[in-house]
Amino acid sequence: MNNLKKRIGIIGGGQLGKMMILDAKRLGFYVTTLDPASDCPSHSISDAMMIAAFDDADAIRALAEVSDVITYEFEHIHVDILKDLVAEGHAVYPTPSSLEIIQNKYTQKQALTVANLPVPDFKEVSSIDEIREIGELFGYPMMLKACLGGYDGKGNAVVKSSSQEDISSAFFALAGGKNPLMLERFVDFDKEISVLACRGLNGQVVVYPVGENEHKNSILDITLVPAQISPSCTTKAMELAEAVMDIFHGVGMFCIEMFVAKDETLYVNEVAPRPHNSGHYTIEGCLTSQFEQHIRAITGLPFGDVSLRCPTVMMNLLGDTESEGKTMVTGIEEAYKNPRVKVHLYGKAESKAHRKMGHLTVISETIEGALMEAQQAQACIKIFGGQS
Amino acid sequence: MNNLKKRIGIIGGGQLGKMMILDAKRLGFYVTTLDPASDCPSHSISDAMMIAAFDDADAIRALAEVSDVITYEFEHIHVDILKDLVAEGHAVYPTPSSLEIIQNKYTQKQALTVANLPVPDFKEVSSIDEIREIGELFGYPMMLKACLGGYDGKGNAVVKSSSQEDISSAFFALAGGKNPLMLERFVDFDKEISVLACRGLNGQVVVYPVGENEHKNSILDITLVPAQISPSCTTKAMELAEAVMDIFHGVGMFCIEMFVAKDETLYVNEVAPRPHNSGHYTIEGCLTSQFEQHIRAITGLPFGDVSLRCPTVMMNLLGDTESEGKTMVTGIEEAYKNPRVKVHLYGKAESKAHRKMGHLTVISETIEGALMEAQQAQACIKIFGGQS
């Protein structure tokens, strides 16, 4: 191709990388994946693999040498390596400068606060005494969070009360101050929603329909789209997402998770600078999936349509908690007896408890119908570890 | 996976194979492709490639050894090799016995006639004298067809009149009787339509919405869905497709091309035992693409929903006629200014005149709107051969 950045390098070969590639290949891009695991989900559909650690600066530089644009599928990357690449003239999207602010939950919230965007009250802390002190201000329960490296509830701990036991158990659950920590005032939210947005190289922003999330054991379980919130709250959420995109000057797909309080006040909970689990519904629910949109954004193509084609429900398929080992799947045939069920299996070699092994999507005339059908399908499928 | 045929072997790594794999990978299948070209469209997304000629019996046997089920993306295969595999206990779908009848246009039409299904009058011929003789019966123009190996108008020649010149030019255009030939009475059709249908291992048949085709230089140019025919004609066409599926006992996706005469009488023109160019619209137009349906059928999974999500138009993107060489593409950005345009590039290394290099799909509220937008997008994109 002439005018397109044709070669894409992706740091990370998990399910998000794999789904990016499925769309990139349709458009004829050449994709190289960097991942430490030679059997990662992306391995079989990447044009080339580089087997290397995520902090291997030489390998990431080598990836840049064979790519017209570099992107990544997770945010816990040594940002200095990416900054060096940009200084050397490589294209890296989302930009390392936006990634640097976002990957630290404290600086992320600071940036949002400076821009007057609504977030739960938050404060950096480094000791038990500080936690107690702020507890008087925020009240209990409060959320203690590791500023760096958390995901799927990992890196979060609830401080239930002002008792010495509750404070120190949360504190030591997050490595007892060895890593930067922050406290957040607990938001008594009515719903958690996700707004996916994408920003182009030219600064244009496109916002997807709002999804409503339900978590189980702090891991996303269900996304329902459209979110069951008022039209005015939907509009406010989409505007808030657009405002967030303008702060971080991100290029590519972002997910803005928000709390909706009972009075429909919105708070930004977390920003992810990448396609997101709560955006998987876009594959069947929209004409342009979040993965295709990301590829379009980082290669300078115009955006595709993001309107919702019909009510859509996404449910995660996690590894069984009772077993660990070579991935085994049962019940696909049963789930597929409903012709509107679509199952996505990520191709992870090993099943582990609570590991994201796949997801399914159901479209229907109504969100209630889609939810019921998705739950029936999810109940059919079992993913577990067998003997290898 | 436990109960699924997990490993799929595909003979042929062109665009149909590539699009099968894009859907197969979502479901976690392992795919091996056999193709003589190491840079064929499927090469970068197959789990494994076997570089071998399509008539290499040892290679096809080796493919079967590493696959739970074998399929193919084109019908011109030495059927004996596949029959041997079936005799040895391998699963090959569509079945070689159905392929054998279909790949010869004469036996294909015979089978349809025996079942009382409507086809244009036809007759085997092997000499200029026979052509003249049948011309008195069928009238002119008539279609002379090679019984084996044709595609995209190749293998067809119009016999314009009873003149010696017209008859012999058609006869020698098709190798002058060296290969089996047949004549067909010309059908003064109003429209050409395609009905895609899929048959499962259990005999269940599912029929897609009817599409209307327009050809240019005997190559498919446009498919419009739904076809602009009466509701009763639509129903008849779908019933006829189902009847065709029952004759061939095919497993997997089939395309039944039909002529619609001015009085809406239907004639089966050709049957293809595979996903078909005129079914590409299903990727965006239906929840279940023809490629996913084929994978489901040959692995014994239940069928996915085939209803039309909205009016959809597909247009082919062919290689420029003025150039040949390393594939170059321009105008994707321009085409993508319409957010409902979806471009599929097959990743063929070389562009040649009239070669199918990609296609685009547009969905819209009306078929007229989709057609106009598709034509605008097609006009933007140029695919040509550059200097390598």
Side-chain angles (χ1 to χ4, degrees), chain B residues 30-339:
Chain B
Y30 181 95
V31 182
T32 307
T33 296
L34 184 148
D35 197 283
S38 61
D39 62 355
C40 66
S42 290
H43 89 278
S44 69
I45 53 166
S46 298
D47 290 271
M49 281 292 299
M50 289 188 179
I51 311 300
F54 293 132
D55 59 359
D56 182 336
D58 291 339
I60 292 178
R61 178 161 284 110
L63 180 69
E65 295 301 334
V66 299
S67 306
D68 298 315
V69 58
I70 291 278
T71 190
Y72 40 88
E73 55 132 37
F74 68 109
E75 57 269 45
H76 306 308
I77 299 179
H78 284 268
V79 83
D80 291 340
I81 303 172
L82 301 182
K83 282 182 159 179
D84 287 348
L85 290 179
V86 170
E88 290 160 25
H90 293 286
V92 181
Y93 301 118
T95 53
S97 53
S98 58
L99 172 63
E100 184 170 34
I101 302 167
I102 291 168
Q103 69 181 186
N104 181 313
K105 285 177 188 167
Y106 183 73
T107 56
Q108 182 192 121
K109 286 254 158 59
Q110 268 189 318
L112 294 166
T113 306
V114 166
N116 281 320
L117 298 183
V119 296
D121 292 330
F122 66 102
K123 204 93 182 168
E124 225 171 355
V125 286
S126 57
S127 70
I128 286 180
D129 287 346
E130 278 182 331
I131 295 174
R132 181 171 295 112
E133 197 177 302
I134 291 160
E136 284 172 34
L137 194 67
F138 287 176
Y140 294 87
M142 309 183 285
M143 285 300 290
L144 186 66
K145 292 184 173 182
C147 297
L148 290 162
Y151 69 99
D152 286 347
K154 292 187 181 72
N156 290 357
V158 179
V159 187
K160 290 180 201 150
S161 78
S162 63
S163 78
Q164 178 69 19
E165 196 193 330
D166 282 347
I167 290 178
S168 67
S169 89
F171 185 64
F172 290 108
L174 300 186
K178 279 190 203 114
N179 305 313
L181 297 173
M182 62 190 283
L183 272 172
E184 273 186 18
R185 189 192 290 270
F186 185 77
V187 176
D188 186 19
F189 60 83
D190 191 41
K191 286 180 189 293
E192 286 182 278
I193 60 173
S194 275
V195 191
L196 294 143
C198 197
R199 194 161 185 276
L201 291 170
N202 61 359
Q204 195 200 340
V205 173
V206 71
V207 181
Y208 277 87
V210 180
E212 176 180 338
N213 298 326
E214 293 178 19
H215 291 77
K216 205 185 259 181
N217 303 314
S218 301
I219 302 171
L220 183 65
D221 182 33
I222 311 177
T223 301
L224 303 102
V225 195
Q228 303 300 289
I229 52 177
S230 72
S232 73
C233 185
T234 300
T235 303
K236 275 197 295 177
M238 292 172 80
E239 285 169 357
L240 179 51
E242 196 160 344
V244 170
M245 294 305 284
D246 282 340
I247 291 169
F248 294 115
H249 300 287
V251 170
M253 281 299 309
F254 280 60
C255 175
I256 299 104
E257 290 184 276
M258 304 177 193
F259 295 131
V260 186
K262 293 200 196 309
D263 64 355
E264 292 206 330
T265 306
L266 296 171
Y267 299 91
V268 176
N269 176 31
E270 252 174 63
V271 178
R274 53 171 169 80
H276 191 265
N277 194 167
S278 62
H280 292 354
Y281 83 86
T282 56
I283 298 174
E284 290 87 5
C286 301
L287 184 65
T288 314
S289 81
Q290 62 170 348
F291 303 103
E292 177 180 347
Q293 203 75 286
H294 185 73
I295 297 294
R296 289 184 186 222
I298 66 170
T299 59
L301 287 171
F303 289 135
D305 187 84
V306 297
S307 53
L308 190 67
R309 301 183 76 176
C310 56
T312 306
V313 168
M314 189 285 311
M315 291 189 83
N316 271 334
L317 300 171
L318 304 184
D320 175 60
T321 54
E322 309 289 310
S323 62
E324 188 167 323
K326 194 181 167 219
T327 302
M328 310 289 276
V329 183
T330 57
I332 300 285
E333 298 93 323
E334 195 62 24
Y336 266 168
K337 285 185 180 160
N338 178 342

Side-chain angles (χ1 to χ4, degrees), chain A residues 189-191 193 229 233 258-262 264-266:
Chain A
F189 61 84
D190 191 41
K191 286 179 189 294
I193 60 173
I229 53 177
C233 185
M258 304 177 193
F259 294 131
V260 186
K262 294 200 195 308
E264 292 206 330
T265 306
L266 297 170

Side-chain angles (χ1 to χ4, degrees), chain A residues 2-3 18 25-26 44 47 284 287 292 296 302 305 309 328-329 333 336 339 342-345, chain B residues 2-3 18 25-26 44 47 284 287 292 296 305 309 328-330 333 336 339 342-345:
Chain A
N2 284 7
N3 309 319
K18 178 185 174 185
K25 295 310 299 181
R26 186 171 52 70
S44 69
D47 290 272
E284 290 87 6
L287 183 65
E292 177 180 347
R296 288 185 186 223
D305 188 82
R309 300 183 78 177
M328 309 290 276
V329 183
E333 298 93 324
Y336 266 167
K342 303 276 274 189
V343 180
H344 300 245
L345 294 176
Chain B
N2 283 7
N3 308 321
K18 179 184 174 185
K25 295 309 298 182
R26 184 172 53 69
S44 69
D47 290 271
E284 290 87 5
L287 184 65
E292 177 180 347
R296 289 184 186 222
D305 187 84
R309 301 183 76 176
M328 310 289 276
V329 183
T330 57
E333 298 93 323
Y336 266 168
K342 303 276 274 190
V343 180
H344 300 245
L345 294 176

